[in-house]
Amino acid sequence: MNTVIVIGGGAAGMMAAIWAARNDNNVILIEQNEKLGKKLFITGKGRCNFTNACDIEDLFGNVVTNSKFMYSSFYSFSNQQVMDFFEELGLRYKVERGNRVFPESDHSSDVIKALEKELNRLNVDIRLNTKADELVIENDVLCGVIIQEKINDNEKNRKNNSSNKKCKLTADKIIVTTGGVSYPRTGASDSGYRFAQSAGHSVIKAQPSLVPFEVKEKWCSDIMGVALKNVGISIFVKDDKGKEKKIFDDFGEMLFTHFGVSGPMIIKASAYIHKYLGRNIEVSIDLKPALSEKQLDERILRDFELFKNKQLSNSLDKLLLKALIPVVIDYSGLDGEKKIAEITKEERKKLGESIKDLRVHVTGLRGWDEAIITKGGVNVKEIDPGTMESKKVKGLYFAGEVLDVDALTGGFNLQVAWSTAYLAGNSVG
């Protein structure tokens, strides 16, 4: 029987600990927080979209970084197997729009409770309020981990009356599941990256991903709170000569905020633009994607006939949201006070072009507090994709968000966590 230490009590950590224990190992689960699954608790706005019920091949298309690395993981522990696993633990689930899978109760706490119950059934030694400080590696042999255990002298006054005790835990195998650095208020840190580097691994720079955009245009903050449905976006990168390269397009929902733009499409797009940050990035918004330029022009003409005696600013209510009318008029360079009867064909064309191609300039991404996941992490070229074991140090494994693997929203990042943790937990012997 091996002694296996799992560092990190999040989604991947709990899953890895369960499978390691099911394989008759003595498992110690170390978590620095006062409870398990803190980040899992807030996932999906507290509802926990814990996987996606798509075809297994579609999982790979939703992994943005290093999807090929996930082949063994996904086929060893697929999304259907994840659903079966939780059902076995007594968790009832439901499938919603986009094949997103949630607990039937809509409470993320039920996912955590199911995992905790199984950990307890398997007699996993759960060490809460315990921080892993460093790995102990002697002569390239993994020996254990140095931990800091918080000792509470007075449970009623934990924050003000506590001390830390350092000690060494010996282990035959260690699984690092410390996650990324998004949502620092949940205790997220770069400790997993430090452990990896101490073992000779390289780490791809961590960046916030699945996060809103900050933009240059002030008008976005002027209409903050305005949500758009059934619109299209295209994201372009311009070179110094003004030549455009399209790097993303989508159709759906978005939102204007005090700092720029957000919403499902924008969050998704953020996963693709990191390597272009610092260059000229523009988001083109198509307010009427269902209409061709010709159809839109015909529609504008019909509205102009109805309002031919009115000013331009009072003639677009049937076509656009009220808050967007002054924005579109200003962007087109037209005079909102001009009478419809005086609008030229060329001016009408500019109006149509503005409706189909309203642009904002991206100045950056929002920070870690708003990032759903981390892009970057332990270099997967140095990890065995069939076991999650380090190629640098025997007996050391990595799973979950600490790896340089990231996916889109919809339950795919948690599927990455479950699948990699399953492999690690089943590979420790």
Side-chain angles (χ1 to χ4, degrees), residues 65-66 176 178-181 189-207 368 374-383 392 396 398 401-405:
T65 307
N66 293 318
V176 178
T178 48
V181 287
S189 72
D190 65 353
S191 60
Y193 308 146
R194 289 191 290 103
F195 298 151
Q197 289 170 328
S198 72
H201 283 275
S202 57
V203 174
I204 309 303
K205 181 183 176 183
Q207 300 178 75
W368 290 114
T374 302
K375 180 180 282 289
V378 179
N379 190 341
V380 298
K381 292 178 181 178
E382 300 163 1
I383 305 295
K392 303 282 186 178
L396 178 62
F398 294 87
E401 197 179 345
V402 71
L403 294 165
D404 181 28
V405 179

Side-chain angles (χ1 to χ4, degrees), residues 78-268:
S78 69
N79 45 352
Q80 184 58 57
Q81 287 171 289
V82 167
M83 289 182 271
D84 293 343
F85 168 83
F86 279 106
E87 194 167 46
E88 172 202 325
L89 297 188
L91 182 77
R92 297 171 68 90
Y93 64 84
K94 58 186 177 180
V95 181
E96 296 189 356
R97 179 173 56 88
N99 288 317
R100 295 173 300 162
V101 183
F102 293 90
E104 197 173 74
S105 65
D106 281 332
H107 293 143
S108 58
S109 57
D110 288 342
V111 176
I112 299 168
K113 286 174 186 174
L115 293 167
E116 284 181 320
K117 185 178 178 181
E118 182 67 359
L119 288 166
N120 290 324
R121 185 187 74 79
L122 293 164
N123 295 314
V124 171
D125 181 1
I126 301 171
R127 308 277 186 97
L128 300 177
N129 293 306
T130 302
K131 182 181 179 183
D133 265 2
E134 60 181 295
L135 301 180
V136 180
I137 302 172
E138 299 174 357
N139 299 318
D140 295 326
V141 177
L142 186 67
C143 302
V145 59
I146 302 296
I147 63 167
Q148 281 191 61
E149 192 171 3
K150 189 180 288 185
I151 307 301
N152 294 299
D153 301 313
N154 184 343
E155 283 295 318
K156 293 181 180 179
N157 193 18
R158 293 174 63 178
K159 290 185 179 178
N160 299 322
N161 194 4
S162 64
S163 58
N164 295 326
K165 181 178 76 174
K166 280 194 175 187
C167 64
K168 174 185 172 182
L169 289 180
T170 58
D172 300 295
K173 308 287 177 72
I174 293 177
I175 307 175
V176 178
T177 57
T178 48
V181 287
S182 58
Y183 293 116
R185 65 182 180 276
T186 64
S189 72
D190 65 353
S191 60
Y193 308 146
R194 289 191 290 103
F195 298 151
Q197 289 170 328
S198 72
H201 283 275
S202 57
V203 174
I204 309 303
K205 181 183 176 183
Q207 300 178 75
S209 193
L210 299 185
V211 67
F213 292 176
E214 294 180 348
V215 304
K216 182 173 71 175
E217 284 71 17
K218 183 181 178 298
W219 61 260
C220 289
S221 61
D222 293 338
I223 62 170
M224 61 180 287
V226 172
L228 303 180
K229 294 183 178 181
N230 301 320
V231 297
I233 63 167
S234 297
I235 300 182
F236 297 95
V237 175
K238 282 187 176 180
D239 63 21
D240 295 338
K241 297 179 180 179
K243 186 178 179 181
E244 292 186 335
K245 174 187 176 183
K246 184 191 287 188
I247 58 173
F248 181 85
D249 59 43
D250 201 5
F251 172 86
E253 302 175 13
M254 64 177 293
L255 172 73
F256 294 102
T257 70
H258 66 283
F259 54 77
V261 289
S262 186
M265 285 193 297
I266 300 298
I267 298 297
K268 180 179 179 181

Side-chain angles (χ1 to χ4, degrees), residues 274-332:
H274 287 81
K275 64 181 179 181
Y276 301 104
L277 290 174
R279 296 170 61 181
N280 187 355
I281 305 172
E282 298 182 6
V283 180
S284 168
I285 306 168
D286 185 348
L287 298 171
K288 295 294 174 182
L291 301 177
S292 66
E293 289 184 10
K294 181 181 178 183
Q295 290 170 326
L296 177 60
D297 189 54
E298 290 170 352
R299 168 67 192 276
I300 293 172
L301 270 173
R302 289 198 299 272
D303 286 0
F304 278 9
E305 280 297 314
L306 290 172
F307 304 113
K308 56 187 175 184
N309 294 320
K310 289 188 174 184
Q311 294 177 330
L312 177 60
S313 58
N314 297 321
S315 306
L316 300 174
D317 298 59
K318 289 182 175 291
L319 189 62
L320 300 171
L321 290 175
K322 190 172 183 179
L324 282 173
I325 293 173
V327 172
V328 170
I329 291 175
D330 184 62
Y331 188 81
S332 66

Side-chain angles (χ1 to χ4, degrees), residues 201 382-383 388-394 396-398:
H201 283 275
E382 300 163 1
I383 305 295
M388 296 297 122
E389 187 174 18
S390 163
K391 294 179 180 178
K392 303 282 186 178
V393 176
K394 190 172 178 58
L396 178 62
Y397 300 75
F398 294 87

